[in-house]
Amino acid sequence: MTNKMITADPKGVLTGSHYLDGDHACCEGALAAGCRFVAGYPITPSTEVVERFSARCPQVGGMFIQMEDEIASSIAIYGGVWAGAKAMTVTSGPGFSLMMEHIGLGVMLETPCVFVNVQRGGPSTGLPTLPGQADMMQARWGSHGDYEIIALSPNSPQEAFDLTIEAFNLSEQYRVPVMMMLDECVGHMTEKVIIPKAEEIKIYPRRFTKAKPGEYLPYKPGPDMVPDLVKVGDGHRFHITGLTHDERGYPVMNHICQDQLVRRLMDKINKNADKITHLEEDGTEGAECVVVSYGITSRIAARAIDMARAEGLKVGHIQCKVVWPFPAKRILELVPKVKSFVMPEMNMGQVVLELERIVKGQAQVSLVPHAGGMVHEPEVILQAIKQSLK
Amino acid sequence: MSTEEKKPTNPIEPLLRMERMPHIWCPGCGIGTTVNCFARALEDTKTDLDKTALVSGIGCTGRVAGYLKLDSFHTTHGRPIPFATGLKLANPKLNVVVYSGDGDLFAIGGNHFIHAARRNIDILVICVNNYTYGMTGGQLTPTTPYSAIASTAPYGNFEKTFNLPYLAESCGAAFVARWTSYHVRQTAKCMAEALGKKGFRFIEIISPCPTLYQRRNKLGDGLAFMKYLKENSVRKDDAQTKDVGLDFQGEITVGKFVDREMPTFLDDMNRRLSETMGDKYEKYEGIKTKI
């Protein structure tokens, strides 16, 4: 059963018009969403998120701890969540790699929380101070085993604020760690950010069980496939484990339990994909070519589309604010109507693989790759649009 | 006289998840004995069980969280301490206990132990030290004594061995003790004492692994190792931790080595923030935001 939305706790909402970079806006989004527990480790270009949180948290009754590494940070937040807080951790490239095991644990324990990754160029130490979008597949598949994840990608400080709230809401609704995939460009660009009044911010409250102690089953799913939560100290004396487990949370080492659990963990995301999808569309009706983009690249794409339209081309734009799950339904609606899809990414071709899989050769799909370190030139995307319509 | 046959019961059954019995531990293993001590310590101290959380890592001792009827967490390999840190800091009213093995806490998890002790996070860490990775078949750990055979040290261990009480003290632990699974009364008493104290508390319990450590080292069965623990343990409460390192089948110094009062992480945080923020700071006593 889905919960009724409530309004934000005014204590964490810095209502007003601000001039913030994306990292700071992301921190304010988390505070507005009710996040009061952050564990992190410094890494460029994400450090400003935790720096701001460390300054803000004593003002709002929150807890910040700088842990000894990203591995510790990414599991300390689960302690925070199971003790009854909303929690997040923040990192970039190499730190994100260190967190992978715990993303899997978060999926397995169905722990609602947010992982922020301000992407930089990789692999390895790569380009610490320059942007990339090359962690998108890692966000989806990085931990071992089968699972589905939710990932959002903002294109501005305002979206960093808005989508961080959305990330927390989705994590609570589906009980899954949600990835906030910024990039160095959005993280460090400073723009106007409007923070609304607390009563205008909608929050999905944690779905605590109504079961009495002794009756609670930690992994008995509701009709939406999502189980209810508890917190430590409420007398339920529950047990949870990263091992394959039954509804009681007890380990069961056989293929039947594995099948039931893994299917549910995937279905609760996949079967709700249409509800989770969040797109911004522009001129897709009647378009011959649709540009599909996310994050900072969507702003470069918008410029390229303007240039194409000035030349008389019918070009539409889909910006995926939620990248995972990928908006398959909407793409499939467009497939018979368009000649081509163009996908610029600040990587050598990651999310485009999903687009190609869905389009199944029924329209042309053109990748506009970029190894990172700098955003695309709009002319390169324009060229790809023109080429795809030839 | 009633003809009804009385089934023998274990007095700590109410503290166990009996539906999960039998447990996975081998005959002669000492982990279950330490769990018995811990359950008795909880009872003796009348600890509020609804406010007590138990966190384990991975390995044979990592399974303890699954058998005790507490809010209990079986986490990832080496990471129970940072998980416990999160629990304690988000809700300082909880009693948080980490229960894990030597490989989990001191190899893969060593860095977390060091920093939790340095910060004086208010948790109790119980380490069952059986000198080996039992779950994976008896490999070398940081506590395997010099010359002992392990499946990954078939010619005998040549690495230097961690002295865990010395490590704990030098990192800043508030309470440091060592017992063995032979010393059940002393272990239970020590656990009870530690439950009543504040700060980062560490108890090492030397324990047999007949299946993988003793068999490979021709040290006999569980009982033979109990005899060894009985005959070679020497209680020295005032021992310097630097002197309590362990050798292969050598003397084992047991007792309470460190017991000192120090401000915890939260004490330090509250003091510092009050000093610098003045009246604007409201003392942190856990996250109260309604979610």
Side-chain angles (χ1 to χ4, degrees):
Chain A
M1 230 155 342
T2 49
N3 248 352
K4 267 193 190 152
M5 301 294 263
I6 59 169
T7 58
D9 175 4
K11 211 171 179 182
V13 183
L14 212 61
T15 303
S17 176
H18 304 268
Y19 190 54
L20 296 176
D21 74 19
D23 283 356
H24 284 248
C26 172
C27 174
E28 288 303 328
L31 287 162
C35 173
R36 294 291 180 273
F37 189 100
V38 171
Y41 186 83
I43 187 165
T44 305
S46 74
T47 312
E48 291 87 339
V49 184
V50 292
E51 283 176 342
R52 189 177 179 101
F53 195 88
S54 69
R56 290 274 281 128
C57 82
Q59 305 164 355
V60 299
M63 167 57 63
F64 170 72
I65 182 166
Q66 184 175 312
M67 294 299 285
E68 50 274 18
D69 58 29
E70 288 89 346
I71 299 173
S73 303
S74 58
I75 194 166
I77 62 167
Y78 297 162
V81 170
W82 286 94
K86 284 192 182 178
M88 115 179 142
T89 188
V90 184
T91 193
S92 296
F96 199 51
S97 293
L98 286 174
M99 291 180 176
M100 285 302 128
E101 185 183 7
H102 288 146
I103 290 175
L105 180 69
V107 167
M108 200 62 151
L109 300 181
E110 299 183 66
T111 303
C113 60
V114 172
F115 282 68
V116 177
N117 177 1
V118 185
Q119 296 172 87
R120 59 195 230 183
S124 191
T125 313
L127 301 170
T129 61
L130 297 171
Q133 290 182 319
D135 305 348
M136 297 308 295
M137 279 302 183
Q138 188 186 21
R140 187 178 183 190
W141 303 113
S143 201
H144 57 279
D146 273 326
Y147 63 96
E148 287 293 338
I149 207 82
I150 299 174
L152 294 83
S153 188
N155 74 3
S156 66
Q158 183 68 54
E159 280 196 4
F161 174 83
D162 296 337
L163 296 186
T164 302
I165 297 173
E166 191 170 323
F168 273 97
N169 286 345
L170 289 166
S171 79
E172 294 292 337
Q173 187 168 357
Y174 296 101
R175 274 190 68 177
V176 68
V178 172
M179 310 293 123
M180 262 303 281
M181 305 297 285
L182 282 72
D183 60 78
E184 186 277 334
C185 213
V186 169
H188 285 165
M189 74 162 62
T190 304
E191 287 183 339
K192 184 167 160 179
V193 176
I194 306 282
I195 300 183
K197 290 179 186 150
E199 61 264 31
E200 291 163 11
I201 298 172
K202 297 278 174 280
I203 301 296
Y204 189 93
R206 185 159 298 171
R207 211 168 80 191
F208 284 114
T209 184
K210 290 184 177 72
K212 293 188 188 81
E215 292 171 0
Y216 173 66
L217 293 170
Y219 293 105
K220 186 178 163 53
D224 60 350
M225 293 173 274
V226 181
D228 289 342
L229 259 162
V230 286
K231 62 179 189 293
V232 174
D234 281 352
H236 293 286
R237 309 251 204 112
F238 63 99
H239 175 64
I240 59 173
T241 173
L243 288 165
T244 296
H245 46 264
D246 61 15
E247 292 185 349
R248 298 172 300 174
Y250 291 175
V252 177
M253 298 296 104
N254 66 42
H255 65 284
I256 299 162
C257 189
Q258 171 76 358
D259 184 80
Q260 284 172 351
L261 177 61
V262 173
R263 272 182 205 281
R264 183 175 64 74
L265 292 176
M266 297 181 76
D267 283 353
K268 72 176 180 179
I269 307 299
N270 285 337
K271 294 197 172 168
N272 288 306
D274 297 340
K275 286 187 220 158
I276 299 167
T277 291
H278 185 170
L279 306 174
E280 186 92 20
E281 292 199 28
D282 171 36
T284 42
E285 289 308 318
E288 291 188 323
C289 167
V290 169
V291 178
V292 182
S293 69
Y294 58 90
I296 189 62
T297 308
S298 67
R299 292 175 72 164
I300 321 302
R303 171 78 182 132
I305 291 163
D306 284 347
M307 290 156 76
R309 285 174 184 164
E311 292 184 29
L313 300 174
K314 289 178 182 167
V315 185
H317 189 193
I318 290 182
Q319 181 206 343
C320 305
K321 296 190 183 188
V322 170
V323 181
W324 307 124
F326 194 70
K329 190 182 165 195
R330 182 62 186 136
I331 298 293
L332 282 171
E333 284 168 5
L334 289 169
V335 167
K337 300 179 188 165
V338 304
K339 276 190 186 164
S340 65
F341 293 94
V342 169
M343 187 146 200
E345 293 190 80
M346 220 190 303
N347 59 51
M348 300 312 281
Q350 294 193 7
V351 181
V352 73
L353 298 173
E354 190 68 355
L355 182 62
E356 284 171 351
R357 190 181 70 79
I358 290 157
V359 174
K360 285 197 173 74
Q362 300 303 302
Q364 190 184 325
V365 175
S366 302
L367 164 71
V368 190
H370 192 304
M374 170 68 110
V375 293
H376 289 79
E377 293 290 343
E379 289 76 12
V380 181
I381 302 173
L382 175 66
Q383 213 48 48
I385 294 169
K386 283 184 181 171
Q387 196 69 35
S388 79
L389 290 174
K390 263 186 190 163
Chain B
M1 211 175 126
S2 167
T3 52
E4 210 173 291
E5 199 183 326
K6 261 203 172 167
K7 257 178 87 182
T9 57
N10 186 328
I12 64 152
E13 269 185 24
L15 273 149
L16 300 176
R17 297 182 190 278
M18 290 305 291
E19 65 275 25
R20 292 213 54 209
M21 298 297 149
H23 56 66
I24 61 154
W25 298 311
C26 302
C29 169
I31 299 170
T33 309
T34 72
V35 172
N36 204 318
C37 296
F38 182 62
R40 282 165 192 275
L42 288 172
E43 281 191 336
D44 291 349
T45 49
K46 298 191 171 52
T47 299
D48 185 349
L49 301 177
D50 284 346
K51 302 288 177 203
T52 303
L54 190 67
V55 188
S56 287
I58 298 294
C60 291
T61 314
R63 294 303 184 97
V64 169
Y67 297 126
L68 276 161
K69 209 187 264 178
L70 299 166
D71 288 338
S72 58
F73 300 89
H74 184 220
T75 62
T76 47
H77 194 26
R79 323 299 172 195
I81 288 177
F83 188 102
T85 300
L87 275 179
K88 183 68 191 181
L89 296 186
N91 183 359
K93 289 182 186 75
L94 300 171
N95 312 304
V96 181
V97 181
V98 169
Y99 215 121
S100 221
D102 46 303
D104 186 80
L105 289 170
F106 292 99
I108 186 166
N111 198 32
H112 310 309
F113 182 91
I114 289 169
H115 289 281
R118 173 181 64 82
R119 297 180 180 115
N120 202 21
I121 301 286
D122 184 20
I123 57 175
L124 168 59
V125 177
I126 296 170
C127 173
V128 178
N129 179 5
N130 59 9
Y131 308 134
T132 196
Y133 289 95
M135 189 69 87
T136 46
Q139 294 79 28
L140 182 74
T141 78
T143 60
T144 307
Y146 182 79
S147 81
I149 308 282
S151 75
T152 46
Y155 306 104
N157 172 34
F158 51 81
E159 289 188 20
K160 289 165 191 69
T161 307
F162 248 152
N163 171 349
L164 302 183
Y166 187 32
L167 177 73
E169 182 182 17
S170 54
C171 294
F175 181 100
V176 181
R178 177 197 281 152
W179 286 101
T180 81
S181 57
Y182 166 76
H183 299 90
V184 288
R185 287 182 188 282
Q186 295 92 328
T187 300
K189 212 175 141 190
C190 178
M191 287 171 166
E193 187 184 0
L195 282 168
K197 300 216 175 250
K198 260 181 75 177
F200 187 87
R201 291 146 286 159
F202 174 62
I203 303 174
E204 176 187 18
I205 307 167
I206 309 296
S207 188
C209 175
T211 310
L212 293 154
Y213 178 75
Q214 284 149 244
R215 183 175 52 86
R216 209 167 255 125
N217 284 288
K218 300 189 171 38
L219 297 174
D221 59 7
L223 189 61
F225 202 78
M226 283 295 182
K227 276 186 190 149
Y228 157 68
L229 295 176
K230 180 187 173 188
E231 287 160 11
N232 293 277
S233 297
V234 181
R235 181 169 188 165
K236 286 183 203 160
D237 287 314
D238 55 352
Q240 297 292 309
T241 54
K242 69 176 171 50
D243 302 325
V244 305
L246 299 170
D247 299 322
F248 184 69
Q249 292 301 95
E251 186 180 290
I252 300 171
T253 309
V254 295
K256 181 176 80 176
F257 309 130
V258 178
D259 185 358
R260 51 188 173 182
E261 265 187 47
M262 292 183 301
T264 65
F265 176 90
L266 285 177
D267 294 336
D268 286 333
M269 185 186 96
N270 276 319
R271 196 196 60 232
R272 181 70 195 171
L273 291 174
S274 299
E275 277 170 12
T276 49
M277 292 174 69
D279 294 342
K280 278 189 231 152
Y281 182 64
E282 191 184 329
K283 189 185 173 197
Y284 178 84
E285 288 173 322
I287 290 161
K288 293 180 185 128
T289 305
K290 204 172 166 287
I291 55 165

